Amino acid sequence: MAILVRPRLLAALAPTFLGCLLLQVTAGAGIPEKAFNLTWISTDFKTILEWQPKPTNYTYTVQISDRSRNWKNKCFSTTDTECDLTDEIVKDVTWAYEAKVLSVPRRNSVHGDGDQLVIHGEEPPFTNAPKFLPYRDTNLGQPVIQQFEQDGRKLNVVVKDSLTLVRKNGTFLTLRQVFGKDLGYIITYRKGSSTGKKTNITNTNEFSIDVEEGVSYCFFVQAMIFSRKTNQNSPGSSTVCTEQWKSFLGETLIIVGAVVLLATIFIILLSISLCKRRKNRAGQKGKNTPSRLA
């Protein structure tokens, strides 16, 4: 049975059909797709550029500019959708870096020599990444509480500066060495039996907070950059507690245990002494009693 199709319907469906056909031919021919969703992922200056989509029949090459406005090739002819640019951005963390991702067809003759990218054929499509200023844009990692002590009415806390991947004279620098007095820490604390919280800020690595004596306190710290308007604070550290009641209970148990031990030793020595006296008395009575003749 023949199916009749109206001419107007054919005219309406033709663009859709041709579009699908062209898409299939394009994919099969390996015509590259421009990268999209370019995103900087950076923590304590460890910096990776990510993008989409996964390539088919083409590769990516990443280029990043330096202070001299020269473009340097990174992750040359890769099928990955990320590129580690840490070694470039740590050279100067106060510079706003530009980067772009090139989509290069496999049919093109491509080779690289140092920072030079040579492509024989048509110029590949590329996508620019947002500018990245490491000092402003890198995320702060989770800080670590180095030590703490509750001494009477004072809670003393020391925070350890995280190491970064920024180097000077071959040595990795800490956050403090990179940011100086622009780096601060926030402590959030509460009584162990309460939900009410208080905060304190310092531009050093140490806190000395007034607290109630004999009361347990729990707290965590965050790093912060004073000059930032956004992305200012780090995630919180692990929460720790002073556990004063456990310390008091432990000291009490030690004292009670010592008293019990001394009392036990005294009782044992007294028992031994009494036993010896009884034996001596029994022996004397035996000597004083006259022996009976059979």
Side-chain angles (χ1 to χ4, degrees):
M1 180 178 177
I3 299 176
L4 298 177
V5 181
R6 296 181 180 180
R8 290 183 179 179
L9 181 60
L10 282 174
L13 293 176
T16 303
F17 173 75
L18 290 175
C20 293
L21 181 61
L22 180 61
L23 183 62
Q24 291 179 353
V25 171
T26 299
I31 296 177
E33 183 179 352
K34 291 180 67 175
F36 59 89
N37 287 347
L38 274 66
T39 306
W40 295 95
I41 307 296
S42 180
T43 300
D44 290 343
F45 300 104
K46 170 71 174 178
T47 303
I48 295 174
L49 180 64
E50 296 182 348
W51 63 88
Q52 293 177 309
K54 191 71 176 175
T56 54
N57 296 322
Y58 62 96
T59 62
Y60 291 116
T61 294
V62 177
Q63 294 184 333
I64 185 169
S65 66
D66 56 21
R67 290 188 65 90
S68 302
R69 303 284 184 179
N70 296 320
W71 290 97
K72 185 174 183 179
N73 296 313
K74 305 293 292 186
C75 304
F76 182 79
S77 293
T78 181
T79 56
D80 294 332
T81 54
E82 65 177 33
C83 183
D84 191 336
L85 298 173
T86 303
D87 58 344
E88 296 299 324
I89 66 97
V90 296
K91 293 176 180 177
D92 184 353
V93 297
T94 61
W95 177 254
Y97 291 90
E98 297 180 61
K100 56 186 177 182
V101 179
L102 288 73
S103 304
V104 184
R106 290 186 184 276
R107 68 175 182 272
N108 283 21
S109 175
V110 183
H111 65 273
D113 181 14
D115 294 342
Q116 301 299 316
L117 178 67
V118 181
I119 302 175
H120 300 285
E122 62 185 19
E123 188 70 20
F126 64 88
T127 305
N128 291 317
K131 284 189 176 182
F132 180 75
L133 201 166
Y135 189 95
R136 178 195 64 197
D137 297 330
T138 193
N139 295 318
L140 299 175
Q142 185 182 40
V144 175
I145 297 173
Q146 185 172 353
Q147 64 183 47
F148 64 92
E149 178 187 21
Q150 186 172 343
D151 184 11
R153 295 181 178 273
K154 285 291 185 181
L155 173 60
N156 302 312
V157 180
V158 179
V159 184
K160 182 180 180 181
D161 284 327
S162 301
L163 272 179
T164 71
L165 294 178
V166 182
R167 285 187 291 184
K168 184 177 182 180
N169 299 326
T171 302
F172 291 108
L173 304 183
T174 65
L175 281 178
R176 176 68 63 193
Q177 290 172 315
V178 175
F179 290 102
K181 290 295 184 180
D182 200 16
L183 171 68
Y185 289 99
I186 308 169
I187 187 170
T188 302
Y189 63 99
R190 61 175 175 82
K191 293 181 181 179
S193 58
S194 173
T195 57
K197 297 178 180 179
K198 295 182 179 181
T199 59
N200 198 296
I201 299 176
T202 181
N203 62 356
T204 69
N205 294 66
E206 299 181 1
F207 293 93
S208 184
I209 303 169
D210 293 326
V211 294
E212 295 181 23
E213 189 172 1
V215 177
S216 173
Y217 282 84
C218 297
F219 56 92
F220 65 89
V221 297
Q222 294 171 277
M224 66 176 298
I225 303 300
F226 292 110
S227 64
R228 291 183 178 180
K229 295 181 179 179
T230 60
N231 196 29
Q232 188 178 36
N233 296 345
S234 75
S237 68
S238 300
T239 299
V240 296
C241 298
T242 57
E243 299 181 333
Q244 288 292 295
W245 67 273
K246 288 187 177 180
S247 177
F248 175 77
L249 180 61
E251 292 175 0
T252 303
L253 288 176
I254 290 173
I255 294 172
V256 171
V259 171
V260 171
L261 178 61
L262 290 174
T264 302
I265 293 173
F266 175 76
I267 292 171
I268 291 172
L269 292 176
L270 182 61
S271 299
I272 293 172
S273 178
L274 291 174
C275 287
K276 286 183 177 180
R277 288 183 180 182
R278 288 177 182 176
K279 288 182 179 180
N280 290 335
R281 288 178 181 178
Q284 290 178 357
K285 287 182 179 180
K287 291 179 179 179
N288 295 331
T289 302
S291 59
R292 295 180 181 178
L293 297 174

